[in-house]
Amino acid sequence: MTILITGAAGFIGANFVLDWLAQTQETVVNLDKLTYAGNLETLASVQGDARHIFVQGDIGDSALVARLLAQHRPRAVINFAAESHVDRSIHSPDDFIQTNIVGTFRLLEAVRGYWGNLPADDKAAFRLLHVSTDEVYGSLAAGDAAFTEQHRYEPNSPYSASKAASDHLVRAYHHTYGLPVLTTNCSNNYGPYHFPEKLIPLMIVNALAGKPLPVYGDGMQIRDWLYVKDHCSAIRRVLEAGQLGEVYNIGGWNEKPNIEIVHTVCALLDELRPKADGSSYRTQISYVKDRPGHDRRYAIDASKIERELGWKPFETFETGIRKTVQWYLANPEWVVNVQSGAYRDWVQTQYASTAEA
Ligand code: NAD
Ligand code: DAU
């Protein structure tokens, strides 16, 4: 048995592959374009494992995807591939439209062609699982109920709008063609191998480098944090038992303001890697200009996946964030290697434009 996973050299996809190969015998075909966010070093421990077949390519390359499907005959496709960083979508939305919308469309077309020609039993068993985000639901005010699967779509950034479009295409392919799809909408992930352009790894990496810790606006925006391995276990569960055409929200019941996250990271570093001069990493916090259109609050109501599929997160925020900081402390080479020329160019562009508080 084989599954095809797209975007599995990125943060969540690579964690998913590592967990999958540790837990099953099933082969994984990993199709990833290797953008700045894709990093094969994350998968170094499974290089040479015959159950991991890596193919560099674009989900929008219909001929390539059709060839891979015909050659490997997967029982499922999991689509992680996306442009995923909100700030980058504000600076240059083009890639987000190409990969998240056009790429998903082309992937759906290739999968529809493959699935339509499968023998009846394989056709009935086949699944396409589309990995999406809570950002499609827009922003909550303080006191609003958390997002359920019925919440209307109100995406506010080019990133979330492009993910919303991809979700709608996936839904339409089920409704129109009967394609056996599942969609998951998850909250903010954190954990090992997280690219240091996102809040938590950026704060860890900057703190250790003695650089400013840039907090956007007043730092009181709220995100709902989930340890990446818990997201992976939820996806495995949805793939195994989700109802066709259904949407499952995934979250950690862990709403926290950004500034509290930054304080927690600083406190852990103060404990685990105290500064030579005895000062706290908190002294590096620097309030900077806010993100344009910044969503104020996300919160996921994960009761459907818990009630219908029996999934719950394993980690609390306290255990997950400690593991994460420990991982970054133990893996400085991984961090150095992802901070390539392209990464440095991005940091310069983004933080020059947010300079004043
Ligand atoms: P990431 O940016 O770390 O990784 C994305 C991967 O996709 C990279 O390996 C990249 O090379 C690959 N990719 C990009 N364009 C491609 C293309 N056209 N064809 C093939 N591969 C391509 O992203 P992530 O944080 O791992 O997110 C994975 C998925 O989960 C995304 O769909 C994202 O929208 C969704 N998601 C992320 C979070 C989060 O907190 N990170 C939360 C909810 C949902
Ligand atoms: O909610 C799920 C989403 O979470 C995913 O769909 C996205 O792919 C993922 O990138 C993430 O989006 P966010 O925009 O919430 O994540 P980010 O880490 O970029 O920012 C988290 C919060 O921290 C947000 O309110 C902005 C703030 N922030 C971020 C950075 C990079 C700062 O204050 N300073 C920073 O330097």
Side-chain angles (χ1 to χ4, degrees):
M1 300 269 260
T2 299
I3 62 169
L4 172 66
I5 308 189
T6 71
F11 165 48
I12 306 172
N15 273 287
F16 186 88
V17 167
L18 294 174
D19 287 358
W20 183 268
L21 293 177
Q23 292 173 24
T24 79
Q25 287 308 311
E26 213 168 341
T27 298
V28 165
V29 179
N30 175 354
L31 171 64
D32 195 296
K33 189 176 172 181
L34 293 185
T35 67
Y36 78 93
N39 183 3
L40 281 181
E41 203 180 323
T42 305
L43 294 164
S45 64
V46 294
Q47 260 165 22
D49 185 329
R51 294 171 305 148
H52 178 236
I53 300 166
F54 179 76
V55 179
Q56 182 171 5
D58 193 322
I59 56 166
D61 182 344
S62 312
L64 171 64
V65 177
R67 183 169 64 69
L68 290 176
L69 291 167
Q71 185 182 345
H72 297 285
R73 306 194 64 76
R75 69 167 178 97
V77 172
I78 305 179
N79 183 32
F80 288 97
E83 288 293 334
S84 71
H85 190 31
V86 173
D87 291 323
R88 285 184 190 256
S89 84
I90 294 167
H91 283 275
S92 56
D94 220 311
D95 289 344
F96 291 73
I97 306 306
Q98 286 311 318
T99 284
N100 300 0
I101 306 180
V102 180
T104 303
F105 159 68
R106 297 240 168 87
L107 178 70
L108 282 164
E109 276 291 278
V111 170
R112 181 165 77 92
Y114 165 70
W115 169 77
N117 289 315
L118 285 175
D121 285 355
D122 294 348
K123 195 172 176 185
F126 184 82
R127 300 287 182 269
L128 168 73
L129 193 156
H130 177 62
V131 179
S132 192
T133 169
D134 60 359
E135 300 204 11
V136 298
Y137 298 127
S139 184
L140 293 168
D144 284 352
F147 301 128
T148 66
E149 290 79 1
Q150 277 71 47
H151 199 282
R152 74 174 173 190
Y153 272 41
E154 284 180 326
N156 290 320
S157 71
Y159 163 68
S160 54
S162 67
K163 289 297 289 187
S166 69
D167 293 7
H168 290 322
L169 284 168
V170 169
R171 177 190 159 87
Y173 271 63
H174 177 68
H175 194 76
T176 306
Y177 305 112
L179 196 69
V181 305
L182 299 155
T183 298
T184 55
N185 292 88
C186 188
S187 62
N188 284 62
N189 285 213
Y190 67 100
Y193 306 110
H194 204 180
F195 194 75
E197 64 183 353
K198 308 280 172 72
L199 179 72
I200 289 178
L202 183 82
M203 294 299 148
I204 299 171
V205 167
N206 277 14
L208 292 171
K211 293 182 178 162
L213 308 180
V215 173
Y216 297 166
D218 64 1
M220 291 307 291
Q221 303 83 4
I222 290 173
R223 297 292 182 266
D224 182 352
W225 295 93
L226 181 69
Y227 192 63
V228 63
K229 304 272 178 199
D230 281 326
H231 187 188
C232 296
S233 73
I235 291 171
R236 287 198 303 276
R237 185 69 192 133
V238 172
L239 182 65
E240 181 180 68
Q243 294 296 306
L244 292 188
E246 287 292 309
V247 172
Y248 296 91
N249 281 356
I250 304 171
W253 305 102
N254 265 316
E255 282 186 66
K256 302 218 180 278
N258 293 338
I259 191 65
E260 188 181 325
I261 297 288
V262 178
H263 285 165
T264 302
V265 166
C266 289
L268 282 164
L269 288 173
D270 287 340
E271 174 197 329
L272 299 169
R273 182 69 56 85
K275 290 213 262 186
D277 66 3
S279 69
S280 168
Y281 288 96
R282 272 195 194 210
T283 58
Q284 291 168 231
I285 292 173
S286 158
Y287 287 89
V288 299
K289 202 164 94 187
D290 209 351
R291 172 185 280 175
H294 199 168
D295 285 338
R296 195 69 184 165
R297 175 180 165 231
Y298 304 142
I300 276 281
D301 180 337
S303 27
K304 176 178 174 182
I305 188 171
E306 182 177 340
R307 187 178 60 248
E308 295 186 9
L309 304 184
W311 175 86
K312 271 190 190 176
F314 176 76
E315 301 288 347
T316 63
F317 186 71
E318 289 63 36
T319 59
I321 193 71
R322 180 172 283 274
K323 283 185 183 175
T324 304
V325 172
Q326 284 170 332
W327 186 88
Y328 278 88
L329 288 173
N331 290 279
E333 333 72 45
W334 184 90
V335 174
V336 168
N337 292 343
V338 294
Q339 291 173 312
S340 64
Y343 171 83
R344 282 197 294 276
D345 292 348
W346 162 251
V347 168
Q348 204 169 3
T349 308
Q350 168 64 4
Y351 294 97
S353 70
T354 60
E356 83 273 19

